[in-house]
Amino acid sequence: MESRAFELIAAEQARQNNNIELIASENFVSENVMRAVGSCLTNKYAEGYPTERTSGKTGRYYGGCEVVDQLEEYCCDKWREVFSTDYHVNVQPHAGSSANLAAYFSVLKPGDTILSMDLNNGGHLTHGSAVNFSGKLFNMVFYSVTENGFIDYDDIEKKAAEYRPQLILAGASAYSRIIDFKRIGAIAKAYGAYFMVDMAHIAGLVAAGMHPSPFGIADIVTTTTHKTLRGTRGGMIFCRPELAKKVDAGIFPGTQGGPLMHAIAGKAVTAEEACAPAFKEYIAQVLKNTRAMCDTFISLGYDIVTGGTDNHLFLIDFTRTHPTLSGKDVQNELDRHGITLNKNCVPGEKRSPAQASGVRIGCAAMTTKGWKEEDAVACAKRIHEIITALAAK
Ligand SMILES: Cc1ncc(COP(=O)(O)O)c(C=O)c1O
């Protein structure tokens, strides 16, 4: 049977094979993750939770769930093993955004105050953007970064004292440094706020022990499974055991219907892979490659937000070095050369987010393709040539 859809899938496969992929939130999953996500599990309705999970009361709303019950329990156990935690986990969120929506609803009411990281400085849409449910439903207040782009912990304390938020949120989409969860957690405790960490970007580093863990500090931890964790597209929520019922109710029936059991199968395979020793080696190589690439840009005279990186990404700020170029110009030009990345706002941004004055670069995906430090250095030099030619036009 001829299928336009499969023609397009083949075209996208070719694009993924040929391009250099530097989008910090992307990765390439294993064949086994693909097999799980493309399996018969997509056929099964399983609204609710495995029966044992919540004192036997909730259960599933459909018959025939004896296998998926075991799969979901196994998936949860495996993720607790990945993060060496006894936190409760809900593996049903369809995405990181759905995880955040349900997490907020589990402990907050509309109109409550959330203190989160300023979106222009690295926060995510679901951390309070005016065009997102978070900004429409909650009273959002933001902490800032210092002039150099580091999280301003004193500002968190100041804003917590001033606004008395019900929840303080840590975590970002574009922040290249270690986040001090202990310090933010202590501020949340002092002001009686819930402490939530959205570790979507750095979850793979946390799993590998290469970023401090939020477990034991945060009340709620949300994540995606498809960035540095290198798994199927999806979300998860972890919480202290005493919040389990609220978090589960926040997902179902609060914000979702039937879980995507094929995605849960994919998450289980992802967890198996994250437990294997090879995953630690992978994350260690991601960090080496990112550092090598970032250092090359520094030696070529570029300004890097915060002056460097501790994780899988970094941000280049063109404001001083290439004032006529926007992040969008650079993104488009690199696209023409088969290099994929995204424009990004920088601290003190003067342009609109649609233009931006910087780009975000991540090495998680290309490390999966086998990159070593010399490949990262060569790519930085190639990008420099392309940017130099573009600026001279
Ligand atoms: C920190 C953070 N949280 C949440 C999300 C949302 O994840 P999703 O795109 O799966 O909804 C992202 C996505 O980039 C993110 O960076």
Side-chain angles (χ1 to χ4, degrees):
M1 186 185 77
E2 276 185 29
S3 160
R4 178 69 182 137
F6 277 105
E7 273 172 26
L8 290 171
I9 291 170
E12 172 60 12
Q13 182 68 68
R15 191 196 68 80
Q16 291 187 16
N17 291 348
N18 297 333
N19 277 30
I20 291 183
E21 182 52 73
L22 298 176
I23 294 180
S25 46
E26 293 193 9
N27 216 322
F28 299 105
V29 303
S30 67
E31 283 297 321
N32 280 345
V33 169
M34 293 273 207
R35 272 174 61 210
V37 177
S39 71
C40 64
L41 271 301
T42 196
N43 299 330
K44 186 69 196 110
Y45 241 117
E47 276 180 356
Y49 294 102
T51 328
E52 307 86 303
R53 194 173 161 95
T54 47
S55 68
K57 273 189 193 157
T58 315
R60 302 283 194 188
Y61 287 75
Y62 293 88
C65 287
E66 57 278 7
V67 178
V68 291
D69 277 1
Q70 291 175 61
L71 179 66
E72 188 166 340
E73 290 288 8
Y74 172 70
C75 185
C76 292
D77 288 345
K78 212 64 200 163
W79 279 109
R80 275 189 286 267
E81 187 184 330
V82 169
F83 293 110
S84 308
T85 181
D86 60 357
Y87 274 34
H88 172 77
V89 55
N90 187 310
V91 295
Q92 293 192 4
H94 300 332
S97 300
S98 343
N100 286 344
L101 172 65
Y104 296 148
F105 270 135
S106 68
V107 293
L108 302 177
K109 307 182 297 303
D112 280 353
T113 300
I114 299 176
L115 174 58
S116 77
M117 186 165 172
D118 199 339
L119 304 186
N120 273 353
N121 293 325
H124 184 254
L125 265 183
T126 56
H127 298 181
S129 162
V131 297
N132 180 261
F133 69 82
S134 51
K136 291 182 198 287
L137 291 176
F138 300 103
N139 175 37
M140 300 300 310
V141 286
F142 299 102
Y143 51 87
S144 198
V145 294
T146 63
E147 214 176 292
N148 300 331
F150 285 86
I151 290 176
D152 186 343
Y153 294 94
D154 294 336
D155 193 45
I156 301 181
E157 175 122 43
K158 201 175 113 217
K159 301 270 168 64
E162 190 177 343
Y163 295 106
R164 301 289 170 150
Q166 276 75 34
L167 185 143
I168 299 180
L169 178 61
S173 296
Y175 187 68
S176 63
R177 295 298 188 171
I178 298 283
I179 301 178
D180 189 345
F181 296 135
K182 273 196 186 143
R183 189 155 172 202
I184 308 177
I187 297 170
K189 199 166 186 188
Y191 291 94
Y194 284 106
F195 180 37
M196 172 171 152
V197 171
D198 176 351
M199 63 171 185
H201 259 270
I202 53 167
L205 284 63
V206 173
M210 293 172 200
H211 187 289
S213 173
F215 292 98
I217 303 170
D219 300 299
I220 299 178
V221 179
T222 57
T223 187
T224 55
T225 39
H226 48 272
K227 299 184 172 75
T228 49
L229 280 175
R230 200 165 55 176
T232 190
R233 191 162 290 282
M236 298 193 289
I237 310 176
F238 295 83
C239 64
R240 293 193 189 278
E242 57 271 28
L243 294 176
K245 280 195 173 170
K246 287 183 176 175
V247 162
D248 281 353
I251 285 289
F252 177 84
T255 55
Q256 289 188 177
L260 310 177
M261 288 313 306
H262 57 304
I264 290 177
K267 287 173 194 173
V269 175
T270 305
E272 289 175 339
E273 292 178 357
C275 284
F279 188 74
K280 252 195 179 120
E281 287 165 31
Y282 160 66
I283 293 291
Q285 191 62 49
V286 169
L287 298 185
K288 284 187 207 161
N289 290 346
T290 312
R291 175 75 65 86
M293 199 169 185
C294 183
D295 286 350
T296 307
F297 279 111
I298 292 171
S299 68
L300 290 167
Y302 286 83
D303 288 337
I304 304 296
V305 175
T306 75
T309 175
D310 301 324
N311 61 22
H312 63 298
L313 65 84
F314 59 93
L315 303 166
I316 305 182
D317 181 349
F318 298 116
T319 310
R320 181 188 64 85
T321 56
H322 301 80
T324 58
L325 293 185
S326 69
K328 190 178 179 193
D329 296 332
V330 173
Q331 175 186 314
N332 289 344
E333 185 65 10
L334 290 173
D335 248 343
R336 282 190 272 277
H337 289 81
I339 299 175
T340 315
L341 48 61
N342 63 281
K343 61 185 178 294
N344 216 96
C345 289
V346 295
E349 181 61 71
K350 301 277 186 307
R351 291 187 167 92
S352 73
Q355 294 293 323
S357 302
V359 293
R360 184 183 68 161
I361 293 182
C363 290
M366 291 313 291
T367 304
T368 296
K369 281 199 175 177
W371 259 21
K372 295 283 185 282
E373 290 95 312
E374 56 272 24
D375 303 301
V377 169
C379 183
K381 289 181 178 165
R382 177 78 190 114
I383 291 175
H384 172 58
E385 282 169 12
I386 295 168
I387 292 176
T388 307
L390 177 66
K393 270 186 191 167

PDB file of all heavy atoms in Angstrom, residues 25 94-98 100 124 126-127 171-173 198-201 224 226-227 233-234 360, ligand 1:
ATOM      1  N   SER A  25      17.369  19.645  23.719  1.00  0.00           N
ATOM      2  CA  SER A  25      16.291  18.831  24.306  1.00  0.00           C
ATOM      3  C   SER A  25      16.006  17.586  23.477  1.00  0.00           C
ATOM      4  O   SER A  25      15.047  16.876  23.758  1.00  0.00           O
ATOM      5  CB  SER A  25      15.031  19.679  24.436  1.00  0.00           C
ATOM      6  OG  SER A  25      14.799  20.413  23.251  1.00  0.00           O
ATOM      7  N   HIS A  94       1.575  12.429  29.725  1.00  0.00           N
ATOM      8  CA  HIS A  94       1.848  12.287  28.298  1.00  0.00           C
ATOM      9  C   HIS A  94       3.082  13.077  27.877  1.00  0.00           C
ATOM     10  O   HIS A  94       3.663  12.804  26.835  1.00  0.00           O
ATOM     11  CB  HIS A  94       0.653  12.795  27.476  1.00  0.00           C
ATOM     12  CG  HIS A  94      -0.624  12.067  27.754  1.00  0.00           C
ATOM     13  ND1 HIS A  94      -0.671  10.757  28.174  1.00  0.00           N
ATOM     14  CD2 HIS A  94      -1.917  12.471  27.686  1.00  0.00           C
ATOM     15  CE1 HIS A  94      -1.920  10.378  28.337  1.00  0.00           C
ATOM     16  NE2 HIS A  94      -2.702  11.410  28.060  1.00  0.00           N
ATOM     17  N   ALA A  95       3.431  14.097  28.636  1.00  0.00           N
ATOM     18  CA  ALA A  95       4.553  14.970  28.253  1.00  0.00           C
ATOM     19  C   ALA A  95       5.036  15.712  29.501  1.00  0.00           C
ATOM     20  O   ALA A  95       4.394  15.634  30.566  1.00  0.00           O
ATOM     21  CB  ALA A  95       4.101  15.971  27.201  1.00  0.00           C
ATOM     22  N   GLY A  96       6.120  16.451  29.336  1.00  0.00           N
ATOM     23  CA  GLY A  96       6.609  17.257  30.455  1.00  0.00           C
ATOM     24  C   GLY A  96       5.592  18.311  30.865  1.00  0.00           C
ATOM     25  O   GLY A  96       5.406  18.596  32.058  1.00  0.00           O
ATOM     26  N   SER A  97       4.922  18.901  29.870  1.00  0.00           N
ATOM     27  CA  SER A  97       3.936  19.946  30.181  1.00  0.00           C
ATOM     28  C   SER A  97       2.765  19.358  30.967  1.00  0.00           C
ATOM     29  O   SER A  97       2.273  19.982  31.917  1.00  0.00           O
ATOM     30  CB  SER A  97       3.417  20.583  28.890  1.00  0.00           C
ATOM     31  OG  SER A  97       4.488  21.154  28.188  1.00  0.00           O
ATOM     32  N   SER A  98       2.307  18.162  30.580  1.00  0.00           N
ATOM     33  CA  SER A  98       1.194  17.533  31.314  1.00  0.00           C
ATOM     34  C   SER A  98       1.635  17.187  32.736  1.00  0.00           C
ATOM     35  O   SER A  98       0.830  17.256  33.671  1.00  0.00           O
ATOM     36  CB  SER A  98       0.701  16.266  30.639  1.00  0.00           C
ATOM     37  OG  SER A  98       1.115  16.157  29.328  1.00  0.00           O
ATOM     38  N   ASN A 100       3.772  18.870  34.531  1.00  0.00           N
ATOM     39  CA  ASN A 100       3.778  20.107  35.318  1.00  0.00           C
ATOM     40  C   ASN A 100       2.358  20.564  35.653  1.00  0.00           C
ATOM     41  O   ASN A 100       2.088  20.981  36.789  1.00  0.00           O
ATOM     42  CB  ASN A 100       4.539  21.204  34.575  1.00  0.00           C
ATOM     43  CG  ASN A 100       6.045  20.969  34.624  1.00  0.00           C
ATOM     44  OD1 ASN A 100       6.528  20.168  35.436  1.00  0.00           O
ATOM     45  ND2 ASN A 100       6.787  21.634  33.777  1.00  0.00           N
ATOM     46  N   HIS A 124      10.917  27.437  31.523  1.00  0.00           N
ATOM     47  CA  HIS A 124      10.093  26.850  30.458  1.00  0.00           C
ATOM     48  C   HIS A 124       8.720  27.515  30.419  1.00  0.00           C
ATOM     49  O   HIS A 124       8.259  28.055  31.427  1.00  0.00           O
ATOM     50  CB  HIS A 124       9.941  25.335  30.705  1.00  0.00           C
ATOM     51  CG  HIS A 124       9.196  24.629  29.616  1.00  0.00           C
ATOM     52  ND1 HIS A 124       7.901  24.186  29.748  1.00  0.00           N
ATOM     53  CD2 HIS A 124       9.576  24.313  28.348  1.00  0.00           C
ATOM     54  CE1 HIS A 124       7.519  23.607  28.623  1.00  0.00           C
ATOM     55  NE2 HIS A 124       8.515  23.666  27.760  1.00  0.00           N
ATOM     56  N   THR A 126       5.840  26.353  30.675  1.00  0.00           N
ATOM     57  CA  THR A 126       4.946  25.886  31.747  1.00  0.00           C
ATOM     58  C   THR A 126       5.377  26.384  33.120  1.00  0.00           C
ATOM     59  O   THR A 126       4.793  26.002  34.131  1.00  0.00           O
ATOM     60  CB  THR A 126       4.884  24.347  31.781  1.00  0.00           C
ATOM     61  OG1 THR A 126       6.221  23.849  31.912  1.00  0.00           O
ATOM     62  CG2 THR A 126       4.241  23.786  30.527  1.00  0.00           C
ATOM     63  N   HIS A 127       6.416  27.218  33.149  1.00  0.00           N
ATOM     64  CA  HIS A 127       6.860  27.796  34.420  1.00  0.00           C
ATOM     65  C   HIS A 127       6.287  29.203  34.595  1.00  0.00           C
ATOM     66  O   HIS A 127       6.817  29.985  35.363  1.00  0.00           O
ATOM     67  CB  HIS A 127       8.390  27.835  34.495  1.00  0.00           C
ATOM     68  CG  HIS A 127       9.033  26.477  34.447  1.00  0.00           C
ATOM     69  ND1 HIS A 127      10.392  26.280  34.520  1.00  0.00           N
ATOM     70  CD2 HIS A 127       8.493  25.238  34.336  1.00  0.00           C
ATOM     71  CE1 HIS A 127      10.664  24.987  34.447  1.00  0.00           C
ATOM     72  NE2 HIS A 127       9.526  24.330  34.328  1.00  0.00           N
ATOM     73  N   GLY A 171      14.450  24.585  38.084  1.00  0.00           N
ATOM     74  CA  GLY A 171      14.547  23.802  36.847  1.00  0.00           C
ATOM     75  C   GLY A 171      14.416  24.741  35.667  1.00  0.00           C
ATOM     76  O   GLY A 171      13.806  25.796  35.783  1.00  0.00           O
ATOM     77  N   ALA A 172      14.999  24.352  34.534  1.00  0.00           N
ATOM     78  CA  ALA A 172      15.061  25.280  33.405  1.00  0.00           C
ATOM     79  C   ALA A 172      15.198  24.540  32.086  1.00  0.00           C
ATOM     80  O   ALA A 172      15.500  23.344  32.055  1.00  0.00           O
ATOM     81  CB  ALA A 172      16.265  26.195  33.593  1.00  0.00           C
ATOM     82  N   SER A 173      14.977  25.296  31.007  1.00  0.00           N
ATOM     83  CA  SER A 173      15.150  24.738  29.659  1.00  0.00           C
ATOM     84  C   SER A 173      16.475  25.180  29.050  1.00  0.00           C
ATOM     85  O   SER A 173      16.926  24.601  28.062  1.00  0.00           O
ATOM     86  CB  SER A 173      14.036  25.240  28.732  1.00  0.00           C
ATOM     87  OG  SER A 173      12.810  24.771  29.177  1.00  0.00           O
ATOM     88  N   ASP A 198      11.625  20.792  38.338  1.00  0.00           N
ATOM     89  CA  ASP A 198      11.396  20.270  36.991  1.00  0.00           C
ATOM     90  C   ASP A 198      12.778  19.970  36.425  1.00  0.00           C
ATOM     91  O   ASP A 198      13.489  20.878  35.976  1.00  0.00           O
ATOM     92  CB  ASP A 198      10.659  21.326  36.151  1.00  0.00           C
ATOM     93  CG  ASP A 198      10.485  20.878  34.700  1.00  0.00           C
ATOM     94  OD1 ASP A 198      11.069  19.848  34.313  1.00  0.00           O
ATOM     95  OD2 ASP A 198       9.773  21.581  33.959  1.00  0.00           O
ATOM     96  N   MET A 199      13.152  18.682  36.497  1.00  0.00           N
ATOM     97  CA  MET A 199      14.526  18.314  36.075  1.00  0.00           C
ATOM     98  C   MET A 199      14.560  17.806  34.632  1.00  0.00           C
ATOM     99  O   MET A 199      15.489  17.077  34.249  1.00  0.00           O
ATOM    100  CB  MET A 199      15.126  17.276  37.029  1.00  0.00           C
ATOM    101  CG  MET A 199      14.409  15.951  37.061  1.00  0.00           C
ATOM    102  SD  MET A 199      15.357  14.726  38.018  1.00  0.00           S
ATOM    103  CE  MET A 199      14.361  13.262  37.763  1.00  0.00           C
ATOM    104  N   ALA A 200      13.560  18.202  33.827  1.00  0.00           N
ATOM    105  CA  ALA A 200      13.428  17.655  32.465  1.00  0.00           C
ATOM    106  C   ALA A 200      14.761  17.624  31.702  1.00  0.00           C
ATOM    107  O   ALA A 200      15.106  16.600  31.100  1.00  0.00           O
ATOM    108  CB  ALA A 200      12.401  18.459  31.679  1.00  0.00           C
ATOM    109  N   HIS A 201      15.495  18.725  31.751  1.00  0.00           N
ATOM    110  CA  HIS A 201      16.723  18.768  30.943  1.00  0.00           C
ATOM    111  C   HIS A 201      17.848  17.933  31.526  1.00  0.00           C
ATOM    112  O   HIS A 201      18.582  17.271  30.801  1.00  0.00           O
ATOM    113  CB  HIS A 201      17.189  20.221  30.761  1.00  0.00           C
ATOM    114  CG  HIS A 201      16.794  20.733  29.425  1.00  0.00           C
ATOM    115  ND1 HIS A 201      17.599  20.617  28.327  1.00  0.00           N
ATOM    116  CD2 HIS A 201      15.646  21.303  29.006  1.00  0.00           C
ATOM    117  CE1 HIS A 201      16.973  21.106  27.271  1.00  0.00           C
ATOM    118  NE2 HIS A 201      15.789  21.535  27.651  1.00  0.00           N
ATOM    119  N   THR A 224      10.793  15.139  31.864  1.00  0.00           N
ATOM    120  CA  THR A 224      10.481  14.480  30.607  1.00  0.00           C
ATOM    121  C   THR A 224      11.367  13.247  30.542  1.00  0.00           C
ATOM    122  O   THR A 224      12.324  13.116  31.309  1.00  0.00           O
ATOM    123  CB  THR A 224      10.801  15.371  29.387  1.00  0.00           C
ATOM    124  OG1 THR A 224      12.168  15.782  29.468  1.00  0.00           O
ATOM    125  CG2 THR A 224       9.904  16.603  29.350  1.00  0.00           C
ATOM    126  N   HIS A 226      12.553  12.225  27.372  1.00  0.00           N
ATOM    127  CA  HIS A 226      13.116  12.184  26.015  1.00  0.00           C
ATOM    128  C   HIS A 226      14.314  13.098  25.792  1.00  0.00           C
ATOM    129  O   HIS A 226      14.767  13.252  24.662  1.00  0.00           O
ATOM    130  CB  HIS A 226      12.021  12.523  25.002  1.00  0.00           C
ATOM    131  CG  HIS A 226      11.216  13.744  25.338  1.00  0.00           C
ATOM    132  ND1 HIS A 226      10.093  13.697  26.128  1.00  0.00           N
ATOM    133  CD2 HIS A 226      11.365  15.033  24.997  1.00  0.00           C
ATOM    134  CE1 HIS A 226       9.581  14.920  26.240  1.00  0.00           C
ATOM    135  NE2 HIS A 226      10.349  15.750  25.571  1.00  0.00           N
ATOM    136  N   LYS A 227      14.834  13.734  26.829  1.00  0.00           N
ATOM    137  CA  LYS A 227      15.976  14.627  26.594  1.00  0.00           C
ATOM    138  C   LYS A 227      17.256  13.868  26.966  1.00  0.00           C
ATOM    139  O   LYS A 227      17.618  12.945  26.243  1.00  0.00           O
ATOM    140  CB  LYS A 227      15.784  15.917  27.405  1.00  0.00           C
ATOM    141  CG  LYS A 227      14.509  16.684  26.991  1.00  0.00           C
ATOM    142  CD  LYS A 227      14.389  17.994  27.737  1.00  0.00           C
ATOM    143  CE  LYS A 227      13.273  18.863  27.222  1.00  0.00           C
ATOM    144  NZ  LYS A 227      11.923  18.442  27.607  1.00  0.00           N
ATOM    145  N   ARG A 233       9.227   9.809  24.115  1.00  0.00           N
ATOM    146  CA  ARG A 233       8.681  11.130  24.449  1.00  0.00           C
ATOM    147  C   ARG A 233       7.623  10.962  25.535  1.00  0.00           C
ATOM    148  O   ARG A 233       6.693  10.167  25.385  1.00  0.00           O
ATOM    149  CB  ARG A 233       8.065  11.724  23.186  1.00  0.00           C
ATOM    150  CG  ARG A 233       7.690  13.168  23.246  1.00  0.00           C
ATOM    151  CD  ARG A 233       7.519  13.711  21.852  1.00  0.00           C
ATOM    152  NE  ARG A 233       8.803  13.802  21.178  1.00  0.00           N
ATOM    153  CZ  ARG A 233       9.685  14.775  21.393  1.00  0.00           C
ATOM    154  NH1 ARG A 233       9.422  15.770  22.207  1.00  0.00           N
ATOM    155  NH2 ARG A 233      10.859  14.779  20.770  1.00  0.00           N
ATOM    156  N   GLY A 234       7.760  11.689  26.637  1.00  0.00           N
ATOM    157  CA  GLY A 234       6.770  11.566  27.706  1.00  0.00           C
ATOM    158  C   GLY A 234       7.191  12.299  28.959  1.00  0.00           C
ATOM    159  O   GLY A 234       8.214  12.981  28.973  1.00  0.00           O
ATOM    160  N   ARG A 360      21.151  28.253  21.611  1.00  0.00           N
ATOM    161  CA  ARG A 360      21.394  27.202  22.611  1.00  0.00           C
ATOM    162  C   ARG A 360      21.985  25.998  21.883  1.00  0.00           C
ATOM    163  O   ARG A 360      21.494  25.620  20.817  1.00  0.00           O
ATOM    164  CB  ARG A 360      20.059  26.839  23.271  1.00  0.00           C
ATOM    165  CG  ARG A 360      20.160  25.841  24.398  1.00  0.00           C
ATOM    166  CD  ARG A 360      18.784  25.487  24.952  1.00  0.00           C
ATOM    167  NE  ARG A 360      17.985  24.743  23.983  1.00  0.00           N
ATOM    168  CZ  ARG A 360      16.925  24.004  24.291  1.00  0.00           C
ATOM    169  NH1 ARG A 360      16.513  23.928  25.537  1.00  0.00           N
ATOM    170  NH2 ARG A 360      16.250  23.357  23.353  1.00  0.00           N
TER     171      ARG A 360
HETATM  172  C1  LIG B   1      12.311  22.273  31.779  1.00  0.00           C
HETATM  173  C2  LIG B   1      11.226  21.748  30.883  1.00  0.00           C
HETATM  174  N1  LIG B   1      10.064  21.357  31.432  1.00  0.00           N
HETATM  175  C3  LIG B   1       9.049  20.898  30.689  1.00  0.00           C
HETATM  176  C4  LIG B   1       9.161  20.781  29.321  1.00  0.00           C
HETATM  177  C5  LIG B   1       7.971  20.349  28.531  1.00  0.00           C
HETATM  178  O1  LIG B   1       8.082  19.108  27.988  1.00  0.00           O
HETATM  179  P1  LIG B   1       7.101  18.675  26.779  1.00  0.00           P
HETATM  180  O2  LIG B   1       7.593  19.364  25.562  1.00  0.00           O
HETATM  181  O3  LIG B   1       7.258  17.186  26.767  1.00  0.00           O
HETATM  182  O4  LIG B   1       5.710  19.082  27.147  1.00  0.00           O
HETATM  183  C6  LIG B   1      10.357  21.158  28.701  1.00  0.00           C
HETATM  184  C7  LIG B   1      10.479  21.028  27.236  1.00  0.00           C
HETATM  185  O5  LIG B   1      11.350  21.462  26.580  1.00  0.00           O
HETATM  186  C8  LIG B   1      11.415  21.667  29.501  1.00  0.00           C
HETATM  187  O6  LIG B   1      12.557  22.101  28.957  1.00  0.00           O
END
